[in-house]
Amino acid sequence: MKKKKLIEFDKILSKQAPPFRDRSELPRGKYDFAIAYPDPDSLPIDDLVRALTQGLSEEGSDLALYPDVQGYGPLREYVSHKLKRDRKMTVDPEQIVLGDGSSQHISMIIDLLIDPGDTVITEDFCYSNTLTKLKISGAEIHGIECDDSGMISDTLERVIADLVAHEKRPKLIYTIPTFQNPQGWTMSLERRKALLDIASFYEIPILEDDCYVDLRYEGENVPAIHSLDPTGQVMYVGSFSKTIAPGLRMGYFAGPEEIIGRFRMVRKTSGSGVNEFAALAIHRYAISGLDNHVKKILKIQRDRRDTMVSTIGEMFGSNAKWSVPEGGLYLWMQMPDSVDLSSITDQALRAGVGYQPGTMFAADGNSGESYARLCFGYNSPEDISKGIEVLAGVFTKKGFF
Ligand SMILES: Cc1ncc(COP(=O)(O)O)c(C=O)c1O
């Protein structure tokens, strides 16, 4: 029986309520280059089952308790060791907070720091969910132009100096310095140091989003900005989404006690914590099998990247430019300025190909029409080739070349 509606909830929402979103998700193409999914066939399901079984038999009865508000201690210890070993970061387990993916931490940081009208610095094209959250929070976003080495330092300094002169000192600099989403570059060491210097001079905290760092196919590791920072002004997020699976929803944050204390309060007052069931499995799995698994998936993803790069070369030739990232999961493709790739996503999907247009990642909310982000993580090399051929067919039909 249909209930008679008594209350118009839309009319009684608080000022902080976010905009409405319906259930419709982005439809997926057979050739799914839209989202950075990993290869479903190489997920370590059996090992995760074993790890969960072990975790539950050893500590399962602790699930009777509410978990630590910062997340399962042994997994935080693992993350602390990993950050030391891989990123030369010195972070105690007490300075680490686990979360429902790294996006939960990004969202909590924005909630803690940003009031409507506050200014925030990002890269000119960056992770769309961070941009959406910033917009909902009423932030004024300033995207900094980037080249192959990351944010251009002179531009960064000029924009910040100008904002400070107008009493709009940025509250935060958000950066994805390694295998940037969507542009694919890795910020050079020199630029990392320059970014730190500028941020220290103007006393602006940095949020370093390093969620792709483990997916390096070639080239030299570049130190984490956090590891270069003697002042504690850099906050850091990482994730198990890109190395194990996004469905696990497990990410980590390292940052100052003033922020972590607020995270604890958010968790305490909302009754939320970090899923200890998943954490038990991830911890047992991480200490025994994660390094080998990463080695295995690096080979798979590198092949997929190479296949996408070579097929794009064959099909698009001089009609497009594209990045060849040393790691991560995306190619960033640019067509001539006259081409609007945001106008034909539906057509491409009907032909079976999903991709995201550059406009989704634009800090200014509207540029990037001639760009597309293409993820190579999910489909097999054969399907990547086929999908790029189909996409080239759609573009040709549309008269793009
Ligand atoms: C740059 C960046 N940061 C954070 C995330 C969020 O990852 P998760 O919440 O799954 O850890 C993503 C996901 O694609 C991303 O691309």
Side-chain angles (χ1 to χ4, degrees):
M1 192 180 71
K2 197 160 186 262
K3 286 187 185 161
K4 189 169 171 290
K5 201 167 179 190
L6 181 64
I7 295 168
E8 302 269 359
F9 281 95
D10 269 347
K11 299 203 170 126
I12 59 166
L13 295 173
S14 77
K15 287 198 183 67
Q16 305 90 351
F20 181 80
R21 182 180 155 99
D22 64 25
R23 271 188 63 79
S24 63
E25 292 297 327
L26 215 68
R28 296 188 53 202
K30 173 177 179 198
Y31 308 109
D32 194 350
F33 307 146
I35 311 279
Y37 301 120
D39 170 30
D41 295 333
S42 38
L43 295 192
I45 308 290
D46 292 344
D47 289 345
L48 283 170
V49 169
R50 269 191 291 278
L52 178 62
T53 307
Q54 188 193 345
L56 285 176
S57 65
E58 288 170 0
E59 293 182 65
S61 56
D62 287 352
L63 294 176
L65 312 173
Y66 280 96
D68 185 319
V69 282
Q70 288 183 223
Y72 182 53
L75 186 54
R76 285 188 287 110
E77 262 169 51
Y78 168 83
V79 170
S80 164
H81 288 301
K82 177 173 166 54
L83 293 177
K84 181 86 196 158
R85 183 192 71 180
D86 298 344
R87 308 302 287 135
K88 305 281 177 285
M89 288 167 54
T90 307
V91 186
D92 290 338
E94 294 71 42
Q95 296 169 289
I96 291 171
V97 181
L98 302 176
D100 183 5
S102 55
S103 31
Q104 187 186 43
H105 297 115
I106 297 171
S107 178
M108 287 199 291
I109 290 290
I110 294 172
D111 283 341
L112 286 184
L113 296 183
I114 306 303
D115 285 316
D118 283 344
T119 56
V120 174
I121 300 284
T122 67
E123 280 123 11
D124 50 0
F125 293 94
C126 72
Y127 179 42
S128 49
N129 282 358
T130 300
L131 289 175
T132 306
K133 176 70 187 173
L134 284 169
K135 281 175 200 155
I136 291 172
S137 302
E140 190 185 292
I141 307 169
H142 293 262
I144 304 297
E145 194 189 341
C146 300
D147 60 18
D148 288 347
S149 305
M151 279 194 231
I152 298 173
S153 311
D154 291 349
T155 312
L156 175 68
E157 173 135 43
R158 185 169 37 74
V159 170
I160 293 179
D162 191 51
L163 287 169
V164 170
H166 289 87
E167 297 188 353
K168 289 184 151 203
R169 177 186 305 273
K171 276 282 195 70
L172 183 67
I173 300 175
Y174 170 74
T175 179
I176 310 160
T178 313
F179 316 134
Q180 204 260 9
N181 176 8
Q183 304 183 56
W185 46 253
T186 291
M187 191 185 289
S188 66
L189 179 58
E190 199 188 355
R191 289 276 175 86
R192 287 172 195 237
K193 288 180 177 164
L195 168 61
L196 255 184
D197 284 349
I198 296 166
S200 317
F201 182 81
Y202 289 101
E203 297 178 10
I204 306 167
I206 295 172
L207 177 54
E208 177 176 20
D209 181 348
D210 218 14
C211 75
Y212 294 100
V213 71
D214 294 311
L215 301 184
R216 176 174 283 286
Y217 313 126
E218 64 215 8
E220 290 295 308
N221 190 16
V222 186
I225 302 171
H226 187 288
S227 72
L228 304 168
D229 165 36
T231 68
Q233 77 188 97
V234 180
M235 298 172 281
Y236 182 97
V237 285
S239 180
F240 291 102
S241 288
K242 313 298 170 186
T243 49
I244 313 180
L248 291 170
R249 306 313 300 132
M250 190 63 73
Y252 41 90
F253 168 89
E257 176 60 15
E258 298 101 293
I259 293 292
I260 290 184
R262 262 70 188 199
F263 280 3
R264 285 195 286 263
M265 195 60 180
V266 171
R267 293 256 166 92
K268 200 88 199 137
T269 50
S270 61
S272 65
V274 189
N275 186 331
E276 191 119 322
F277 190 75
L280 285 172
I282 294 171
H283 169 253
R284 292 335 187 258
Y285 175 66
I287 54 177
S288 60
L290 183 55
D291 289 345
N292 278 338
H293 177 67
V294 170
K295 270 190 214 143
K296 185 173 127 193
I297 58 171
L298 286 184
K299 260 202 218 119
I300 294 169
Q301 314 282 36
R302 187 194 297 120
D303 268 5
R304 290 173 186 209
R305 179 204 60 178
D306 293 346
T307 302
M308 189 175 263
V309 167
S310 64
T311 318
I312 286 188
E314 280 163 37
M315 304 309 302
F316 289 73
S318 58
N319 294 300
K321 290 191 232 161
W322 53 92
S323 61
V324 183
E326 291 185 333
L329 291 169
Y330 311 106
L331 253 56
W332 185 229
M333 184 173 79
Q334 184 188 9
M335 300 283 291
D337 287 348
S338 56
V339 168
D340 179 2
L341 293 178
S342 61
S343 65
I344 58 149
T345 49
D346 286 350
Q347 224 167 309
L349 252 185
R350 280 196 296 275
V353 185
Y355 72 88
Q356 295 206 330
T359 43
M360 295 265 307
F361 309 96
D364 67 8
N366 54 41
S367 52
E369 286 177 345
S370 59
Y371 287 83
R373 188 191 75 174
L374 300 166
C375 307
F376 50 79
Y378 183 75
N379 288 103
S380 68
E382 297 71 36
D383 278 351
I384 288 175
S385 289
K386 278 192 218 142
I388 295 294
E389 279 175 38
V390 173
L391 190 63
V394 173
F395 287 8
T396 311
K397 229 184 192 168
K398 201 68 197 163
F400 289 168
F401 55 81

